[in-house]
Every structure is written in C-alpha cells, then in structure tokens.
Amino acid sequence: MLKNKLPVFLVGLTAATALISACSSNKDIPQGKRIAVLEQSSELRTEGRSDIKIQVPAVSAVNTWYQSGYNAQHVTPNIRVGTDFTKQWKADFGKGSSKREFLISQPLVNQNTVYTLDAGGLLRAFKLQDGETVWATELKSQNKYVRDTSMKGVGIAMDGQNIYAVTGYGVVFAVRAKDGAVQWEKDLQIPLRTAPVLANGKLFIQSSENKFWSLDRRSGEILWDYDIALENTTMVGGAPAAYCADLDIIVAGFSNGELQAFNASLGSALWSDMLIANRQAYSSTFLHTIQAAPVVEGERVYALGNSDVLTAIDVRTGTRLWEREIGGSQTPLLSGNVLYVVSDKNHLVAVAKDSGAVLWTTPIEHEGKASDVTVFAPIMLDGRLIVALSNGQVLSFDPRSGRQINAINLKEKLNSAPIAANGYILFTTSNAKLIAYK
C-alpha cells in the first residue's frame, strides 16, 4: 500500500516545491530568531515560596498494610522502620511478569504475616519474620478459556479476617486470612484490571472496559454498578479508587482520562473531571489512562493524570481548587502539607497541597536508559523520602529540600514501590520474589 502512495506523494511534493519557489522568488527571506508557535512542553519551575515551610509528620509505628496505597484514602504515614537496611530473607511467591503475563499486585501485611498474589492467580501467606510459607491457595476460574488471559492475578485488599482478591479473568474471591480457605467468589464476567478498594463494608472494583462495581464484602453481592466511556487503547493495570469517609463518596480514575465521583452507598454519579491537558485533549496518539490512584484527605481529592494534569478538587462539588501541568503514572505521596510527585519526566517534585505551588524539583538520576527504567511512587520512612526504581536502585531524599541523601542498588529487577510494616521493608521483583529488609 505504501508503494502505491509514494509516487503520488512525490509528485505533490515536487509541485508544492515549485509553487513555493515561484511565489517567493522575488521576495526577501525574513530574518531573525525563529520561535515555536506551539509549545511542546512546559518547563516546571519552582515558585520560591519562602512563606511555606515544609512540614514532615512525626514517625508512626505501622503493623498493617491492608490495601494498595496503604488505606482507602491512599494516604501513607511517615513510617518508623529504624533499620540498618540489611536483607533478612527472600522468598518465591509464584509467577512473575513474562511475554504473556503481567505481575501488578502489591503485597499486604497483617501483623506478622505477609500476603502476595502472583501473575498466575496464586495467593500466598508468609511469616514476616523469616519468609516461611504459611499457606497457598490457587484462585482458579471455572472458565476453560482462562489460560488465554494475560493477567490472572490483579490485586488484593484485606480487613484482617479476609483477603479480597481480584483476578484478570473477572472473578473476585474472598479468602480467609488465617488458612487460605475460599469464603465466596463472584464472577463479574469482564476482565478486571485494578486492585480492589475496601471501604465501609464494600468492595470497589473496576474492569478493563471501564465498568465500576460496588460489592458487599460479606457475600460478594453486587450493590451497584456504573459504565464509563471505553478507551480503545490503554495501559496495563489502573488506579484503585479512593474513598472519602466524611462524605461517603468514592472517586475513581478511568482509562479515558476521566475522574468520576460516586455516592458510595447508592452508586449515583456526582461529578466528573477530565485529567487531560488542553494541548493533549485531541491527540489520537497519547494514552490518557489514569494509573496514579487519587489521594483523599478530608473533603479534598488530589489527582494526577497521565496527560499532564495534577489537580486538587473539592470532593463535595467537583470544583478544581488548583492545577499544575504535571503528568505521571505513580500515586503521589501526601505527607504533611506537601504532595510528593514522581513526574513523567522522572523528576521528584514537592507541591504545596493547599496552593499547588511547586516548592522544589529534583531530577532522579538513574543507571541505564530512561526508557528501560520505571521510577516508582515515593514512600516516607523515618522522615526520608524513599524512591525505588525498576533497575534495583533505591534512593533517599530530604523531604524539605529535595537533596539526595543516599543511593543503593539491590541488584534486583523491582516490580513496584516498597511497603513497610513492623520494622520491615518489603520489595517485590518482576520474577515474583519477595525480599525483606530490616
């Protein structure tokens, strides 16, 4: 097809060249500096706000990590670990990422037990102290075609008694935490792509086709569901929803760039926002998928889009309070009076949560090609910002200045940001290894 069109293109180009030459043969060529009419990207600048002093919260002892993003609001504390960062143990938890399967689930911790879900749908429990396996349950589908699904294990959440596991083939399982026994299962008959969110006795789940459900956590019964416009091209995984307890509102991000708020009990749509910068709104080549989870504090939600929008929104009204042209796919860390964001340009950025002022920005230096390295979401441990990279680097930064403090290399291909509980820091690798440091 290209060969048939090429001569026509060349003839048109020759004719156009001749026409331009004829029209401009007797005219002077304008002199001076040429500037771009359309700005391709904006440079992020700090705003020098000396009146804003960055507040670092006191460290907290954490014994549990129940959901992706720590809790239903995705607000992680400044966690006390007090560690010399020495490897304690390493355990295999199943299938990792491959050409056919994707590992996207993060581990959970309940007191002295760690729970994992691999790419093949194998749910495991380990002793936190030594990595010994407590039990393992394979989450199987009754559908004989499930082996063609590229992502069988999607994500998990728990409430202390049960673990709620979402699978890529559309089935949600409730599994007893103490022994791995399946309590109930619900087939939603659509591929699922985000970790579940557990809030107020309900499970909130999203499909690859932008369908959103609320399930009763006790039985798996569907309480309500809602459909959002489908995006033909999207990215692996998605953003778990965030729950506003003050207003009983659940806020979810979708693959078309839409942020939608619902009454969590009734399922009625309240407001929506498109996290797409104006200059990308009509692009057919840009992926608008929201992969960074919304972050809720009080009656405000902070949302980061893949299409260059970071914004604070009033949860009650859906009104934007401020916005910045920052894009990214990693969930921001809200700590004290600051949002710490990993941008799509691999900068760690400190943004004032009340005004959106950029307080500092630090480039994240890494080994290897930028296209081969993923920079994961930051976490705060013992008052330091910890940023893990997929190439095994783990960097620490001063949260007040952005100055890099330290860097180590675990010599592992990491799969996600670490989690921390009971003094342990837990990493997962792309080949499904769970590594504990203390």
Side-chain angles (χ1 to χ4, degrees), residues 205-285:
I205 295 163
Q206 185 181 328
S207 80
S208 61
E209 299 179 5
N210 281 351
K211 189 162 186 173
F212 193 67
W213 291 269
S214 171
L215 305 184
D216 187 320
R217 74 168 182 177
R218 295 167 297 182
S219 64
E221 175 190 358
I222 297 175
L223 302 176
W224 55 264
D225 60 75
Y226 196 93
D227 290 295
I228 297 290
L230 180 64
E231 185 84 350
N232 291 328
T233 305
T234 185
M235 303 167 75
V236 174
Y243 179 67
C244 175
D246 293 351
L247 302 173
D248 191 33
I249 291 176
I250 189 82
V251 182
F254 295 89
S255 64
N256 63 348
E258 184 173 355
L259 190 73
Q260 177 71 56
F262 305 91
N263 180 297
S265 296
L266 304 177
S268 52
L270 302 176
W271 53 261
S272 67
D273 196 311
M274 295 300 291
L275 300 187
I276 303 174
N278 290 334
R279 60 188 174 83
Q280 294 173 354
Y282 301 103
S283 171
S284 60
T285 60

Side-chain angles (χ1 to χ4, degrees), residues 334-368:
L334 176 58
S335 186
N337 59 342
V338 177
L339 275 174
Y340 298 97
V341 181
V342 171
S343 78
D344 53 10
K345 296 176 177 59
N346 283 351
H347 280 67
L348 181 60
V349 186
V351 179
K353 71 176 186 180
D354 291 333
S355 64
V358 177
L359 304 177
W360 55 255
T361 176
T362 299
I364 298 174
E365 306 292 342
H366 57 76
E367 303 163 3

Side-chain angles (χ1 to χ4, degrees), residues 56-62 75-81 333-336 379-385 399:
V56 177
V59 294
S60 301
V62 167
V75 177
T76 309
N78 179 9
I79 301 175
R80 177 185 290 117
V81 288
L333 171 67
L334 176 58
S335 186
I379 182 174
M380 190 173 288
L381 304 178
D382 290 333
R384 294 185 177 186
L385 291 172

Side-chain angles (χ1 to χ4, degrees), residues 407-426:
I408 61 171
N409 197 321
L410 304 186
K411 305 298 183 182
E412 301 278 358
K413 190 173 182 181
L414 300 180
N415 195 64
S416 62
I419 69 168
N422 273 331
Y424 287 83
I425 308 171
L426 299 168

Side-chain angles (χ1 to χ4, degrees), residues 359-403:
L359 304 177
W360 55 255
T361 176
T362 299
I364 298 174
E365 306 292 342
H366 57 76
E367 303 163 3
K369 295 180 180 179
S371 58
D372 296 334
V373 178
T374 299
V375 181
F376 298 117
I379 182 174
M380 190 173 288
L381 304 178
D382 290 333
R384 294 185 177 186
L385 291 172
I386 306 300
V387 178
L389 284 65
S390 61
N391 64 358
Q393 287 181 269
V394 180
L395 314 177
S396 65
F397 298 87
D398 183 336
R400 293 183 174 87
S401 66
R403 178 181 62 87

Side-chain angles (χ1 to χ4, degrees), residues 280-331:
Q280 294 173 354
Y282 301 103
S283 171
S284 60
T285 60
F286 205 88
L287 296 178
H288 302 306
T289 304
I290 299 174
Q291 284 199 302
V295 178
V296 168
E297 184 184 52
E299 296 185 7
R300 182 177 293 191
V301 59
Y302 302 92
L304 176 67
N306 196 48
S307 302
D308 287 350
V309 173
L310 171 67
T311 184
I313 298 174
D314 185 309
V315 177
R316 188 184 298 273
T317 64
T319 304
R320 287 193 183 187
L321 304 174
W322 56 257
E323 60 186 275
R324 288 292 178 270
E325 195 167 318
I326 302 173
S329 58
Q330 301 294 322
T331 302

